Amino acid sequence: MDHQDSVDREPSFVRNSNLSCMDEDVLYHIALGNKSHDLKEMFSDVKFVCFGGSPSRMEKFAFQLVNELNYKMTAGQTLCNVAGGSDRYVLYKVGPVISVSHGMGIPSLSILIHEILKLLNHAGCSPSDVTFFRIGTSGGLGLEPGTVVISEAAVDGILRPYMEVATLGMIIQHPALLDQELNSKLIDVAKETDIKAVLGKTMCTYDFYEGQARLDGAFCDYTPEDKMAFLKRAHSRRVANIEMESLCFASMTHRAGIKSAVLCVTLLDRLSGDQINSPHDVMEEWQQRPQRIVIQYIRKQLGLE
């Protein structure tokens, strides 16, 4: 390829020359493919992709989008799980928005993001025209439960701002960066919708128990004093919450050149305890808060105000 070809080439979600040599690209975990499906027809208008851990939560979110975006469906029509041929994830499309579940933890999310990026590439979308959101739950540090943390950066379990991937026997470090201009707009939307939201770093761990300094797992080789010293050290470095996906989400979207944001509501203050014991109906309302911010942002971008 000569220099002029590389200059004129459209931006791409993928950076893998091997894909162009493949007769067929099977997106196995979401039951789609560039030969079995007309991905351009199905997804070329996508502008937003919303990721969340729970399949049922992202299904409900999709139906909420139908109402909030004034999406018209003909009589007898309903939303369909586009990834229904797989039992790994659910994927719904409402106009220009994809709502997709990612499961729990970095490995599950990583698989999904690879295939969503390839899907959008096959569909002919441009990275500059698409925004990714992760909406979920977390444990807070020094915050009132129900507060939404909009991640200004993601760090790993030892507070480093990159994701390490073992590739060909080597450790490769990928920076975990998020879009600060987008974050600023989301904070403004949160104020408009009267939802308490803060900016802060998010610590992403590979484990729910020991990795997050919990005292209530099956194993614990540290003292309560050790736990508190670590959490306070993290808090002093502007870590506002802890979850299990932001590092992967930030590093992969940054690598792909996509604007992205992570919005997670806090279900408890980890400086006060480890157990999540708030009433179910209260947590249901809290979990709606990141969704409401993202929906309002999308409505603004689509001119639906």
Side-chain angles (χ1 to χ4, degrees):
M1 179 182 296
D2 64 26
H3 175 71
Q4 187 60 43
D5 286 339
S6 64
V7 170
D8 293 341
R9 187 176 59 186
E10 286 293 318
S12 174
F13 291 90
V14 301
R15 294 172 188 168
N16 180 1
S17 60
N18 298 295
L19 294 176
S20 62
C21 304
M22 296 167 53
D23 292 332
E24 181 177 9
D25 188 10
V26 178
L27 309 179
Y28 172 73
H29 299 89
I30 53 176
L32 295 169
N34 67 330
K35 295 295 186 184
S36 58
H37 298 79
D38 187 343
L39 298 180
K40 187 164 288 191
E41 172 67 24
M42 295 169 68
F43 296 104
S44 63
D45 62 339
V46 169
K47 300 297 182 187
F48 308 96
V49 185
C50 301
F51 296 76
S54 163
S56 61
R57 188 188 310 153
M58 297 317 289
E59 178 184 17
K60 291 177 183 176
F61 181 70
F63 278 93
Q64 189 175 354
L65 286 170
V66 171
N67 295 326
E68 295 286 352
L69 303 185
N70 302 323
Y71 184 69
K72 304 300 181 185
M73 292 192 290
T74 59
Q77 186 182 27
T78 189
L79 290 182
C80 171
N81 173 18
V82 181
S86 168
D87 61 357
R88 300 291 182 182
Y89 308 98
V90 300
L91 188 155
Y92 296 89
K93 183 175 181 294
V94 181
V97 186
I98 286 176
S99 173
V100 63
S101 68
H102 60 61
M104 188 179 295
I106 284 176
S108 180
L109 175 63
S110 172
I111 292 168
L112 178 67
I113 291 184
H114 273 284
E115 297 191 7
I116 291 294
L117 290 175
K118 293 199 294 175
L119 180 155
L120 295 174
N121 198 61
H122 288 307
C125 300
S126 170
S128 62
D129 293 335
V130 179
T131 304
F132 280 19
F133 299 99
R134 168 168 143 66
I135 45 182
T137 60
S138 64
L141 289 181
L143 295 173
E144 179 184 356
T147 302
V148 175
V149 176
I150 299 175
S151 305
E152 61 185 14
V155 298
D156 69 4
I158 51 178
L159 307 179
R160 301 176 304 178
Y162 47 78
M163 182 173 76
E164 289 190 335
V165 180
T167 306
L168 302 180
M170 301 176 289
I171 296 296
I172 309 298
Q173 297 174 341
H174 298 292
L177 303 177
L178 295 158
D179 191 285
Q180 302 309 317
E181 182 179 353
L182 176 59
N183 282 347
S184 178
K185 293 177 181 178
L186 292 168
I187 284 288
D188 289 342
V189 171
K191 292 175 182 176
E192 294 167 9
T193 51
D194 200 26
I195 294 174
K196 183 178 180 181
V198 299
L199 289 170
K201 294 180 182 178
T202 297
M203 184 171 79
C204 175
T205 69
Y206 291 89
D207 169 62
F208 183 79
Y209 287 98
E210 292 173 285
Q212 297 187 12
R214 279 185 156 82
L215 301 174
D216 57 346
F219 306 103
C220 184
D221 299 321
Y222 43 85
T223 67
E225 291 75 22
D226 294 333
K227 165 202 163 175
M228 290 305 298
F230 172 70
L231 292 183
K232 287 179 179 179
R233 179 159 62 92
H235 190 220
S236 72
R237 298 187 184 185
R238 287 187 51 79
V239 172
N241 64 331
I242 307 171
E243 45 84 273
M244 297 175 64
E245 292 86 18
S246 59
L247 194 72
C248 174
F249 188 84
S251 68
M252 292 187 75
T253 54
H254 174 65
R255 207 172 163 194
I258 300 169
K259 296 190 297 289
S260 69
V262 177
L263 303 89
C264 289
V265 71
T266 59
L267 300 182
L268 76 165
D269 181 0
R270 288 296 316 288
L271 297 178
S272 300
D274 295 337
Q275 294 276 310
I276 301 171
N277 50 23
S278 296
H280 178 74
D281 59 333
V282 172
M283 288 196 293
E284 280 290 312
E285 192 278 321
W286 288 346
Q287 291 176 34
Q288 285 283 317
R289 294 178 182 181
Q291 298 180 16
R292 287 167 52 199
I293 295 171
V294 168
I295 287 175
Q296 185 64 9
Y297 174 84
I298 292 173
R299 281 177 55 85
K300 281 176 168 286
Q301 296 304 301
L302 297 178
L304 295 177
E305 289 302 289

